[in-house]
Short mmCIF file of all heavy atoms in Angstrom, two decimals:
data_model
loop_
_atom_site.label_atom_id
_atom_site.label_comp_id
_atom_site.label_asym_id
_atom_site.label_seq_id
_atom_site.Cartn_x
_atom_site.Cartn_y
_atom_site.Cartn_z
N TRP A 1 0.84 -1.21 0.00
CA TRP A 1 0.00 0.00 0.00
C TRP A 1 0.87 1.25 0.00
O TRP A 1 0.59 2.21 -0.72
CB TRP A 1 -0.92 0.01 1.21
CG TRP A 1 -1.75 1.26 1.28
CD1 TRP A 1 -2.94 1.47 0.64
CD2 TRP A 1 -1.44 2.46 1.98
NE1 TRP A 1 -3.39 2.74 0.91
CE2 TRP A 1 -2.49 3.37 1.73
CE3 TRP A 1 -0.38 2.87 2.78
CZ2 TRP A 1 -2.50 4.66 2.26
CZ3 TRP A 1 -0.40 4.14 3.31
CH2 TRP A 1 -1.45 5.02 3.05
N CYS A 2 1.92 1.25 0.82
CA CYS A 2 2.79 2.43 0.90
C CYS A 2 3.48 2.70 -0.43
O CYS A 2 3.65 3.85 -0.82
CB CYS A 2 3.84 2.25 2.00
SG CYS A 2 3.18 2.50 3.64
N ARG A 3 3.90 1.64 -1.12
CA ARG A 3 4.58 1.84 -2.40
C ARG A 3 3.64 2.28 -3.51
O ARG A 3 4.01 3.07 -4.37
CB ARG A 3 5.28 0.56 -2.82
CG ARG A 3 6.53 0.30 -2.05
CD ARG A 3 7.32 -0.85 -2.64
NE ARG A 3 8.33 -1.25 -1.69
CZ ARG A 3 8.50 -2.47 -1.26
NH1 ARG A 3 7.74 -3.45 -1.71
NH2 ARG A 3 9.43 -2.75 -0.38
N SER A 4 2.42 1.78 -3.49
CA SER A 4 1.54 2.05 -4.63
C SER A 4 0.50 3.15 -4.39
O SER A 4 0.10 3.81 -5.33
CB SER A 4 0.83 0.76 -5.06
OG SER A 4 0.07 0.24 -3.99
N HIS A 5 0.06 3.36 -3.16
CA HIS A 5 -1.05 4.30 -2.94
C HIS A 5 -0.68 5.56 -2.17
O HIS A 5 -1.36 6.56 -2.26
CB HIS A 5 -2.19 3.61 -2.20
CG HIS A 5 -2.86 2.52 -2.99
ND1 HIS A 5 -2.46 2.13 -4.23
CD2 HIS A 5 -3.91 1.73 -2.69
CE1 HIS A 5 -3.22 1.15 -4.66
NE2 HIS A 5 -4.11 0.88 -3.75
N ARG A 6 0.36 5.51 -1.36
CA ARG A 6 0.72 6.66 -0.56
C ARG A 6 1.39 7.71 -1.44
O ARG A 6 2.34 7.40 -2.16
CB ARG A 6 1.68 6.25 0.56
CG ARG A 6 1.93 7.35 1.57
CD ARG A 6 2.90 6.92 2.63
NE ARG A 6 4.24 6.69 2.14
CZ ARG A 6 5.11 7.65 1.87
NH1 ARG A 6 4.80 8.89 2.01
NH2 ARG A 6 6.31 7.34 1.44
N PRO A 7 0.90 8.94 -1.40
CA PRO A 7 1.53 9.99 -2.21
C PRO A 7 2.99 10.20 -1.82
O PRO A 7 3.33 10.17 -0.64
CB PRO A 7 0.71 11.24 -1.88
CG PRO A 7 -0.56 10.75 -1.30
CD PRO A 7 -0.26 9.43 -0.66
N LYS A 8 3.83 10.41 -2.80
CA LYS A 8 5.27 10.55 -2.56
C LYS A 8 5.59 11.79 -1.74
O LYS A 8 6.56 11.83 -1.00
CB LYS A 8 6.04 10.62 -3.89
CG LYS A 8 5.86 9.40 -4.75
CD LYS A 8 6.48 8.19 -4.12
CE LYS A 8 6.33 6.99 -5.03
NZ LYS A 8 6.28 5.75 -4.32
N PHE A 9 4.78 12.83 -1.86
CA PHE A 9 5.06 14.10 -1.18
C PHE A 9 4.45 14.16 0.21
O PHE A 9 4.59 15.16 0.91
CB PHE A 9 4.54 15.27 -2.02
CG PHE A 9 3.06 15.19 -2.29
CD1 PHE A 9 2.14 15.70 -1.40
CD2 PHE A 9 2.59 14.58 -3.45
CE1 PHE A 9 0.78 15.62 -1.64
CE2 PHE A 9 1.23 14.49 -3.71
CZ PHE A 9 0.33 15.02 -2.79
N LEU A 10 3.78 13.09 0.66
CA LEU A 10 3.07 13.11 1.94
C LEU A 10 4.00 13.40 3.12
O LEU A 10 3.67 14.19 4.01
CB LEU A 10 2.34 11.79 2.15
CG LEU A 10 1.46 11.70 3.39
CD1 LEU A 10 0.34 12.74 3.33
CD2 LEU A 10 0.87 10.31 3.52
N SER A 11 5.18 12.78 3.14
CA SER A 11 6.11 13.00 4.25
C SER A 11 6.54 14.45 4.33
O SER A 11 6.61 15.03 5.42
CB SER A 11 7.35 12.11 4.10
OG SER A 11 6.99 10.76 4.16
N GLY A 12 6.83 15.05 3.20
CA GLY A 12 7.23 16.45 3.17
C GLY A 12 6.12 17.38 3.63
O GLY A 12 6.36 18.33 4.38
N VAL A 13 4.89 17.10 3.21
CA VAL A 13 3.74 17.92 3.60
C VAL A 13 3.50 17.80 5.10
O VAL A 13 3.30 18.81 5.80
CB VAL A 13 2.48 17.53 2.79
CG1 VAL A 13 1.24 18.18 3.36
CG2 VAL A 13 2.66 17.89 1.33
N ILE A 14 3.53 16.58 5.62
CA ILE A 14 3.31 16.39 7.06
C ILE A 14 4.41 17.06 7.87
O ILE A 14 4.14 17.71 8.88
CB ILE A 14 3.18 14.89 7.39
CG1 ILE A 14 1.85 14.36 6.83
CG2 ILE A 14 3.27 14.65 8.89
CD1 ILE A 14 1.66 12.88 6.97
N SER A 15 5.65 16.93 7.44
CA SER A 15 6.76 17.60 8.14
C SER A 15 6.58 19.11 8.13
O SER A 15 6.78 19.77 9.16
CB SER A 15 8.10 17.23 7.50
OG SER A 15 8.36 15.86 7.69
N ALA A 16 6.21 19.66 6.98
CA ALA A 16 5.99 21.11 6.89
C ALA A 16 4.85 21.56 7.80
O ALA A 16 4.95 22.59 8.47
CB ALA A 16 5.71 21.51 5.44
N LEU A 17 3.77 20.77 7.85
CA LEU A 17 2.66 21.10 8.73
C LEU A 17 3.07 21.05 10.21
O LEU A 17 2.69 21.92 11.00
CB LEU A 17 1.47 20.17 8.48
CG LEU A 17 0.72 20.39 7.17
CD1 LEU A 17 -0.31 19.28 6.96
CD2 LEU A 17 0.05 21.75 7.15
N LEU A 18 3.84 20.04 10.57
CA LEU A 18 4.28 19.92 11.96
C LEU A 18 5.23 21.06 12.34
O LEU A 18 5.13 21.62 13.44
CB LEU A 18 4.96 18.57 12.19
CG LEU A 18 4.03 17.37 12.17
CD1 LEU A 18 4.81 16.07 12.23
CD2 LEU A 18 3.04 17.43 13.33
N TRP A 19 6.14 21.42 11.45
CA TRP A 19 7.04 22.54 11.72
C TRP A 19 6.24 23.84 11.82
O TRP A 19 6.52 24.70 12.67
CB TRP A 19 8.11 22.67 10.63
CG TRP A 19 9.27 21.75 10.86
CD1 TRP A 19 9.50 20.55 10.27
CD2 TRP A 19 10.35 21.94 11.78
NE1 TRP A 19 10.65 20.00 10.74
CE2 TRP A 19 11.19 20.82 11.67
CE3 TRP A 19 10.68 22.95 12.68
CZ2 TRP A 19 12.35 20.69 12.42
CZ3 TRP A 19 11.84 22.81 13.43
CH2 TRP A 19 12.65 21.70 13.30
N SER A 20 5.24 24.00 10.95
CA SER A 20 4.40 25.21 11.01
C SER A 20 3.62 25.28 12.31
O SER A 20 3.53 26.35 12.93
CB SER A 20 3.43 25.24 9.82
OG SER A 20 4.13 25.24 8.61
N LEU A 21 3.04 24.16 12.74
CA LEU A 21 2.32 24.12 14.01
C LEU A 21 3.25 24.45 15.17
O LEU A 21 2.89 25.22 16.06
CB LEU A 21 1.67 22.75 14.20
CG LEU A 21 0.93 22.54 15.52
CD1 LEU A 21 -0.28 23.47 15.63
CD2 LEU A 21 0.50 21.09 15.64
N SER A 22 4.44 23.89 15.14
CA SER A 22 5.41 24.16 16.19
C SER A 22 5.81 25.64 16.21
O SER A 22 5.88 26.26 17.27
CB SER A 22 6.66 23.29 15.99
OG SER A 22 7.64 23.59 16.93
N LEU A 23 6.03 26.20 15.03
CA LEU A 23 6.38 27.63 14.94
C LEU A 23 5.24 28.50 15.45
O LEU A 23 5.46 29.44 16.22
CB LEU A 23 6.72 27.99 13.49
CG LEU A 23 7.09 29.44 13.23
CD1 LEU A 23 8.38 29.80 13.95
CD2 LEU A 23 7.23 29.69 11.75
N LEU A 24 4.02 28.15 15.09
CA LEU A 24 2.85 28.90 15.54
C LEU A 24 2.71 28.85 17.06
O LEU A 24 2.55 29.88 17.72
CB LEU A 24 1.58 28.37 14.88
CG LEU A 24 0.26 28.96 15.38
CD1 LEU A 24 0.13 30.41 14.93
CD2 LEU A 24 -0.90 28.13 14.92
#
């Protein structure tokens, strides 16, 4: 499932969201 269905950019988006939440 991770290889075929998970978007490749998901890790980057989640990391950016977590960093943004932390900054906020």
Side-chain angles (χ1 to χ4, degrees):
W1 178 85
C2 283
R3 285 189 193 127
S4 59
H5 294 3
R6 189 182 67 78
K8 300 293 182 209
F9 59 87
L10 185 62
S11 297
V13 169
I14 290 174
S15 294
L17 288 172
L18 289 173
W19 277 100
S20 300
L21 177 64
S22 177
L23 180 65
L24 173 70

